[in-house]
Amino acid sequence: MNADASGDLARVAAGLRQEIRSKVDGLRRQLTDELKRLDRTVERRARETAARLDAVDARLDTLAADQAVLRQHVERRLRDVAQRTGRLEGEIQQIEGLLRHQQGHVPVDLDGVPADLRVLVDDVRAAERIRAGLLDDDARAARRRDIERCEQDEHTLAETRQRALSASRALAVRTAGGWAFRRAVLAYRSERSRMSELEAQLAAAREKRAQAEQELRHDAAQQQAFRAHPGADAADRLAGRVRDRIDDAVAEYHLFPPWFVTVLGHRPAPTRAAQWREAAVQVVLYRITFEVTDRLLALGPPPSGGHRLVRYDAVQAALRGLEE
Amino acid sequence: MGATRDRLLARQAELRVRHDALGGLGAEPPHDPALLAQVFAGTDELMTVVEELAAATARRRVVVALALLGVAAAGAVLVAFGVLPAYWLLAVLALLVTAVLLWLTTRAAPSRAGP
């Protein structure tokens, strides 16, 4: 191959390279333009979609608010209807009671104690009187704390006395006026003063401990007496008898006394008859045990404290359970 | 002063005897309450003598402090009238500081101890 042919080939190659490069550049520009156009389209569509989602969110919020308002409205209406139903039920019961009263029906006597139950009730009342004298858990814990505090004070006093004794020993054996002697003077002065304070404190604590121990002993004896008393078991038997009487009264459509009706109504609701009966048994047992004779208040006035208050609260809780 | 110190030593010896009676100097609880009460009574008596000694010492310290104050005042007057040269004021100042320190440490000492 001569030099001219080589030069021609080189020129052709350069021309081809130039052409390819220009075509690649053109394609690159075309692709870039296309990509930019696609990017703009995607961006526009994303904005549109976001706007639509915002609109959907706003609609959902509106719907939720409307639903909450509607729910409140429905609940209000339901409460209203429940109140009206309760009033109507009460009025029906009152009319029923009046009618029965006019027909000569006498309310069933749940307070009275039949002769066959007299011994049982006396046992229960006696057991309850013993239980009324028992300390409650808080009182027992307080007495135990008194005893522990006294023991702790005794321990502290013993330690302080021991330190004072050590200082006294140093005073007895160290050279008078020396450094160790003067330190012992300071130590003894401080410990002796603390000892006097603790002794006074301990005297009061011992009195409280003696009283607490006496009360705990008495309480233990009372607990023993309560456990041994036949009345503790008799309460269950009496509850069974009261339950039978209430069942009979409901089955026979007897008229219940006013104190019973005010808290339990004339008849149990079908859905919670068992709960109603247990609450009724508790109310009647409370009245019999504590000899409550109030004609309107089922449990009489609230007691001031002691185990009777615990029983009172338990019965009230059972009655509240019926309203829920 | 000597008499009080003799009393202190006598009380100390008596206390040592009571400690021995309690069960020796290495006695461990529980102690006999009567002997324990005797030990504490003896220690309280010893403390009374210690307080008397401390009170006497405090009185002496106050007297010394007042005397130092008087000497310092006299020195100051002498310097003021030119009898003594001015550098004597340093000695006057030192006396003053010593007197004040003595006074302050005396006031800080407890006036009475024991229950």
Side-chain angles (χ1 to χ4, degrees):
Chain A
M1 192 179 289
N2 58 20
D4 290 341
S6 297
D8 288 344
L9 274 175
R11 274 195 301 276
V12 169
L16 281 171
R17 201 176 293 120
Q18 182 65 30
E19 191 178 348
I20 288 169
R21 193 177 295 129
S22 70
K23 282 195 177 175
V24 165
D25 286 346
L27 275 172
R28 189 178 290 133
R29 274 195 300 277
Q30 201 177 340
L31 278 172
T32 306
D33 292 344
E34 190 67 22
L35 276 173
K36 280 180 181 170
R37 196 173 56 75
L38 272 172
D39 192 29
R40 279 196 296 274
T41 309
V42 167
E43 200 174 328
R44 194 183 67 246
R45 287 198 180 162
R47 274 200 302 273
E48 285 170 6
T49 309
R52 277 185 204 152
L53 280 173
D54 287 346
V56 169
D57 276 350
R59 279 184 63 194
L60 279 175
D61 288 346
T62 313
L63 281 173
D66 289 349
Q67 194 189 7
V69 169
L70 201 60
R71 190 186 295 122
Q72 282 175 359
H73 181 67
V74 169
E75 282 173 359
R76 209 168 35 240
R77 290 297 299 272
L78 277 174
R79 273 199 302 274
D80 193 27
V81 168
Q83 278 175 359
R84 286 182 188 183
T85 309
R87 262 204 306 275
L88 276 174
E89 193 181 335
E91 282 171 12
I92 289 167
Q93 286 178 351
Q94 197 176 3
I95 291 165
E96 187 187 3
L98 273 172
L99 282 173
R100 287 179 174 213
H101 192 65
Q102 283 172 357
Q103 286 167 2
H105 287 271
V106 179
V108 62
D109 181 18
L110 293 172
D111 286 334
V113 180
D116 60 325
L117 285 180
R118 173 60 61 190
V119 178
L120 205 58
V121 170
D122 285 345
D123 278 347
V124 171
R125 284 175 181 164
E128 207 55 47
R129 274 194 293 277
I130 294 172
R131 186 147 66 169
L134 294 180
L135 296 175
D136 59 18
D137 289 345
D138 289 343
R140 273 189 213 112
R143 305 297 183 281
R144 287 194 193 104
R145 275 200 300 276
D146 284 344
I147 294 169
E148 282 168 12
R149 200 172 296 131
C150 182
E151 284 167 0
Q152 199 176 344
D153 285 352
E154 278 179 342
H155 183 67
T156 312
L157 177 62
E159 283 179 349
T160 310
R161 187 181 287 132
Q162 195 54 36
R163 284 197 296 272
L165 197 60
S166 299
S168 167
R169 239 178 250 138
L171 285 171
V173 297
R174 298 292 180 183
T175 310
W179 174 246
F181 185 86
R182 276 184 292 186
R183 271 182 52 191
V185 165
L186 291 175
Y188 183 78
R189 191 182 286 144
S190 158
E191 299 300 342
R192 189 75 174 97
S193 163
R194 176 91 181 113
M195 233 174 84
S196 301
E197 282 172 22
L198 283 171
E199 277 168 353
Q201 192 177 320
L202 190 61
R206 277 184 177 141
E207 272 181 32
K208 284 178 90 173
R209 179 176 67 179
Q211 193 180 349
E213 282 173 345
Q214 190 184 351
E215 285 178 8
L216 283 176
R217 271 197 302 275
H218 181 254
D219 184 57
Q222 289 286 92
Q223 283 186 55
Q224 180 65 30
F226 178 72
R227 277 196 293 272
H229 198 278
D233 296 329
D236 290 339
R237 276 182 285 147
L238 182 61
R241 299 294 295 270
V242 168
R243 195 174 291 114
D244 290 344
R245 286 172 74 187
I246 290 170
D247 286 357
D248 288 345
V250 172
E252 300 294 330
Y253 290 92
H254 284 155
L255 193 60
F256 283 106
W259 58 262
F260 188 96
V261 177
T262 50
V263 289
L264 290 154
H266 283 278
R267 298 186 71 74
T271 51
R272 44 175 59 179
Q275 200 181 351
W276 180 91
R277 185 173 66 176
E278 288 316 305
V281 169
Q282 283 195 45
V283 170
V284 175
L285 270 182
Y286 181 90
R287 284 180 72 90
I288 291 175
T289 307
F290 298 108
E291 299 178 73
V292 177
T293 53
D294 198 296
R295 293 175 63 191
L296 188 63
L297 300 176
L299 304 179
S304 54
H307 180 70
R308 184 172 169 177
L309 180 63
V310 176
R311 288 280 305 274
Y312 181 90
D313 289 342
V315 180
Q316 288 283 25
L319 290 173
R320 274 196 300 276
L322 286 177
E323 293 166 7
E324 289 166 0
Chain B
M1 177 66 191
T4 314
R5 187 160 180 81
D6 289 345
R7 272 174 57 216
L8 175 68
L9 292 175
R11 295 285 183 209
Q12 204 177 14
E14 195 179 325
L15 182 59
R16 209 174 297 132
V17 170
R18 290 185 185 186
H19 267 290
D20 288 343
L22 187 65
L25 294 179
E28 291 298 329
H31 299 292
D32 181 340
L35 293 178
L36 200 60
Q38 279 184 10
V39 166
F40 282 124
T43 317
D44 290 342
E45 286 166 9
L46 175 68
M47 286 296 286
T48 308
V49 182
V50 168
E51 297 305 334
E52 281 174 21
L53 268 173
T57 308
R59 273 196 303 277
R60 273 201 316 278
R61 287 163 76 103
V62 169
V63 169
V64 171
L66 286 174
L68 286 174
L69 278 175
V71 173
V77 168
L78 290 175
V79 171
F81 284 102
V83 179
L84 290 174
Y87 59 80
W88 273 89
L89 277 176
L90 287 174
V92 168
L93 191 64
L95 282 175
L96 205 61
V97 168
T98 309
V100 168
L101 283 176
L102 208 56
W103 176 267
L104 285 177
T105 50
T106 303
R107 281 171 64 87
S111 57
R112 192 181 179 283

